[in-house]
Amino acid sequence: MLTKESLETPCILIDEHVLQRNIERMADIAAQNGVKLRPHIKTHKIPEFALNQLAHGASGITAAKVSEAEIMAEHGIDDIFLAYPVVSPSKIRRIIALAEKIRVIVGVESAEGASRLSKEAAQAGMTLPVRLEIDTGLARTGVRPDKAVELAKRIAALPGLNLSGIFTFKGAVFEGSGTLDLEAAGREEGRIMVETAEKLRAAGIAIRDVSVGSTPTAPFAAAVEGVTEIRPGTYIFYDRMLAVMGACTKEDWAAKVLVTVVSVPSEDRLVVDGGSKTFATDVQPGQHPLHLKGFGEIVGHPDAVFEKMNEEHGMIRTQGPHGLHVGDILEIVPNHICPTINLHNEVFVCKDGAIRAVPVLARGKLA
Amino acid sequence: MLTKESLETPCILIDEHVLQRNIERMADIAAQNGVKLRPHIKTHKIPEFALNQLAHGASGITAAKVSEAEIMAEHGIDDIFLAYPVVSPSKIRRIIALAEKIRVIVGVESAEGASRLSKEAAQAGMTLPVRLEIDTGLARTGVRPDKAVELAKRIAALPGLNLSGIFTFKGAVFEGSGTLDLEAAGREEGRIMVETAEKLRAAGIAIRDVSVGSTPTAPFAAAVEGVTEIRPGTYIFYDRMLAVMGACTKEDWAAKVLVTVVSVPSEDRLVVDGGSKTFATDVQPGQHPLHLKGFGEIVGHPDAVFEKMNEEHGMIRTQGPHGLHVGDILEIVPNHICPTINLHNEVFVCKDGAIRAVPVLARGKLA
């Protein structure tokens, strides 16, 4: 049996009790609001955890890439929303093949993408359910609400497709608005989506699913009348960014990275054996709007700053003497857990002191 | 046979002619300066490429993690410098096991780390060659030159170890100095190392190897009399950062990331299917001292700015109308190729139009 002491660092340790509580609490939020829960598996990339979510209140899952969906389907998951504009012919053919075995819904957001999907689906004699992506402010992918009716009509007229819903990702919603008011952001996200759905229905398109929400906004968007589904992902582990946003407490952190102190240059500096190959660097210190100090929180040393990384080196500076030595083990909660998980081939799941290795089977699935 | 058109994006495409030229040119630089070349394999993480380097002038390889060294040894590489302070008992035992099969040199930089290594090596009845890491300005790991004699004496007195060399990593050398003068930086790096070696020799320690250099400084540090070895890594592919530094030209770029345009929000904006799961984010736009614009260069569109990423979305803004469409394929050279390779399970190697997939066998080796 694995013990915490026997683990090679750096590695990710997951507290299964906290994980389970997180899974069940979001399911309760969905149930209380009368909406479906379709978690995004990009956070964990682990079929076992997706099955756990489905056993505890989720009605299906969300994935970003076809290859992720394929792995999940191989492990018994039979209802997947691919919330991504799939436009390459080879990938569309893989979706069609998958849709012959399980329920697959696909995101669309351009006439060209929808037309490609339509052609292959019609050729396969299939009617593929699709959802139109709406841009609720992130300015990434998705059609702007004022252009949605026009595009939706074109998509609804295409053979082989059934435009049954709309979806959005507003993410941290800070772009543009600059607000940290998650409740206001979630309500706004819900309102735009419900209004857009009404416009499409008025244009004769039978929109059934109105799907919203990431972890920070989902609880509030779920409460908007007319929203039918939420798609949070990070809530299964939460992370430092979400705690700073106020979307969780530190007690909700289910995943921590174990590292070893490999060098002690001075009484207020440390180097650990995890750097940018171990911790994601997409959420940088000082970045607007969270202005996070450093790349993660060192558990038990909340004032220490994880100030710099190279690939295999993590540089930490403490306020005053740290009292740590070469060989000591530290636990760090990364700023952003989703891309951090993607750097690890396996995670270690701990329950009542017993530890087991769980492979991150949908890790590195880019295509 | 694979063709460029048949590849699923996002993926990394490597031009084997350029790769070969890069390998041979750095070998020539080492030979002309009468120093050994011991490339760091953290850039490519591929045994085939390491063997290619050894067949073309390299005298051994460098690795950062024990698990990387193990993979390389499994594939026939028999001379590895582990340029990292290994301090965990389990990892030290793995090093000893490896050193029973092949030549392994290990980096040390603290009395505690050296003592742990000594204990295990002596117990195994082995004399392990070690090199002392010198901090030549990066302020990461390594002992400061003025403290080197004291620490070296303690290490040299330990059983089971043979302190045969010193090494440094100065990297881009901008920390502190703020200079972009690679020649001055390389000469300074070499000078400090040769002076430190002389001091250790004067103290009775037989320093044979004086090992320096990353890709940008190696050609200049190699020219310093008394330097015996260079350890560049990135030169096998080069990347955008090195081109901006003046350490290579765009013709030297051997690795490019292929992506597909999945959304065209406007005539000056694009979204591609590669984000922070595909491109490393450790070298951020605007970061001192290079002030790179964006996360990579879009080949054929040098003025386009790869301005933002989410995990699966890359947002590009062009100066004026881009004329691109959903489904178009683009090639992007990332700011930093080493951690980008670490995100890919395989790379595609292209030679005269023929393409083959090569697994990145030492990818994700964290421990």
Side-chain angles (χ1 to χ4, degrees), chain A residues 6-11 42-43 45 64-65 68 83-88 90-91 94 109-110 112-113 116 133 138-142 169 175 260-265 269 271-274 276-278 280-284 287 308-315 326-329 336 338-339 342-345 362-367, chain B residues 6-11 42-43 45 64-65 68 83-88 90-91 94 109-110 112-113 116 133 138-142 169 175 260-265 269 271-274 276-278 280-284 287 308-315 326-329 336 338-339 342-345 362-367:
Chain A
S6 70
L7 295 177
E8 290 276 19
T9 65
C11 67
K42 65 148 193 164
T43 300
K45 305 177 200 297
K65 292 293 175 99
E68 289 179 340
Y84 197 83
V86 183
V87 304
S88 304
S90 55
K91 289 194 180 74
R94 285 161 60 193
E109 61 91 70
S110 72
E112 174 64 24
R116 292 174 172 215
E133 184 174 5
L138 190 62
R140 187 173 75 176
T141 42
F169 175 74
E175 305 286 327
T260 299
V261 175
V262 295
S263 179
V264 181
R269 280 179 55 223
V271 182
V272 297
D273 62 354
S276 63
K277 249 177 70 182
T278 297
T281 50
D282 61 330
V283 177
Q284 293 267 319
Q287 250 181 6
K308 205 169 161 265
M309 288 197 265
N310 294 128
E311 281 150 85
E312 305 288 10
H313 298 75
M315 276 65 80
V326 163
D328 287 349
I329 308 282
H336 192 188
C338 314
N342 188 54
L343 296 170
H344 293 253
N345 295 329
R363 189 208 55 71
K365 297 295 170 193
L366 303 180
Chain B
S6 70
L7 296 177
E8 289 277 19
T9 64
C11 68
K42 66 147 194 164
T43 301
K45 305 177 198 298
K65 291 293 175 99
E68 288 178 341
Y84 197 82
V86 183
V87 305
S88 305
S90 55
K91 289 194 180 71
R94 285 160 59 193
E109 61 92 70
S110 73
E112 174 63 25
R116 291 174 173 214
E133 184 174 4
L138 190 63
R140 187 173 74 176
T141 43
F169 174 74
E175 305 285 328
T260 299
V261 176
V262 294
S263 179
V264 181
R269 282 179 54 224
V271 182
V272 298
D273 63 353
S276 63
K277 251 177 69 184
T278 298
T281 50
D282 62 329
V283 176
Q284 293 267 319
Q287 249 180 7
K308 204 167 163 265
M309 287 197 267
N310 293 129
E311 281 149 86
E312 305 288 11
H313 299 75
M315 275 65 80
V326 163
D328 286 350
I329 308 281
H336 192 188
C338 315
N342 187 53
L343 297 170
H344 292 253
N345 295 329
R363 189 208 56 73
K365 297 295 169 194
L366 303 178

Side-chain angles (χ1 to χ4, degrees), chain A residues 87-155:
Chain A
V87 304
S88 304
S90 55
K91 289 194 180 74
I92 292 174
R93 286 192 290 273
R94 285 161 60 193
I95 289 175
I96 302 287
L98 201 58
E100 279 164 356
K101 288 179 266 179
I102 65 162
R103 181 172 189 234
V104 180
I105 313 163
V106 187
V108 290
E109 61 91 70
S110 72
E112 174 64 24
S115 156
R116 292 174 172 215
L117 214 51
S118 159
K119 197 181 133 198
E120 297 281 348
Q123 213 157 50
M126 174 182 289
T127 301
L128 201 61
V130 297
R131 294 177 176 178
L132 178 62
E133 184 174 5
I134 308 295
D135 176 8
T136 51
L138 190 62
R140 187 173 75 176
T141 42
V143 62
R144 289 200 341 247
D146 61 324
K147 305 275 189 194
V149 170
E150 185 193 334
L151 180 57
K153 278 184 178 170
R154 293 179 65 177
I155 294 169

Side-chain angles (χ1 to χ4, degrees), chain A residues 18 21-22 25 237-240 242-254 333:
Chain A
V18 179
R21 196 176 65 207
N22 291 346
R25 193 172 45 200
F237 302 138
Y238 289 105
D239 58 19
R240 183 170 182 241
L242 286 167
V244 172
M245 278 187 205
C248 70
T249 69
K250 294 183 183 185
E251 285 66 42
D252 300 325
W253 286 338
V333 177

Side-chain angles (χ1 to χ4, degrees), chain A residues 22 43 172 174 180 182 215-216 234-257 279-287 289-309 315-317 319 331-340:
Chain A
N22 291 346
T43 300
F174 305 120
L180 269 167
L182 300 179
T215 294
T234 320
Y235 77 95
I236 189 167
F237 302 138
Y238 289 105
D239 58 19
R240 183 170 182 241
M241 187 165 55
L242 286 167
V244 172
M245 278 187 205
C248 70
T249 69
K250 294 183 183 185
E251 285 66 42
D252 300 325
W253 286 338
K256 289 163 187 165
V257 180
F279 297 91
T281 50
D282 61 330
V283 177
Q284 293 267 319
Q287 250 181 6
L290 293 177
H291 300 293
L292 294 169
K293 266 197 168 176
F295 288 101
E297 176 161 326
I298 292 88
V299 176
H301 303 264
D303 294 332
V305 181
F306 188 0
E307 59 181 16
K308 205 169 161 265
M309 288 197 265
M315 276 65 80
I316 297 170
R317 189 178 294 272
Q319 314 291 322
E331 294 183 2
I332 301 182
V333 177
N335 286 355
H336 192 188
I337 191 67
C338 314
T340 297

Side-chain angles (χ1 to χ4, degrees), chain B residues 340-361:
Chain B
T340 297
I341 296 281
N342 187 53
L343 297 170
H344 292 253
N345 295 329
E346 57 189 358
V347 296
F348 295 88
V349 178
C350 179
K351 189 175 189 177
D352 302 324
I355 295 180
R356 62 198 170 91
V358 177
V360 185
L361 291 176

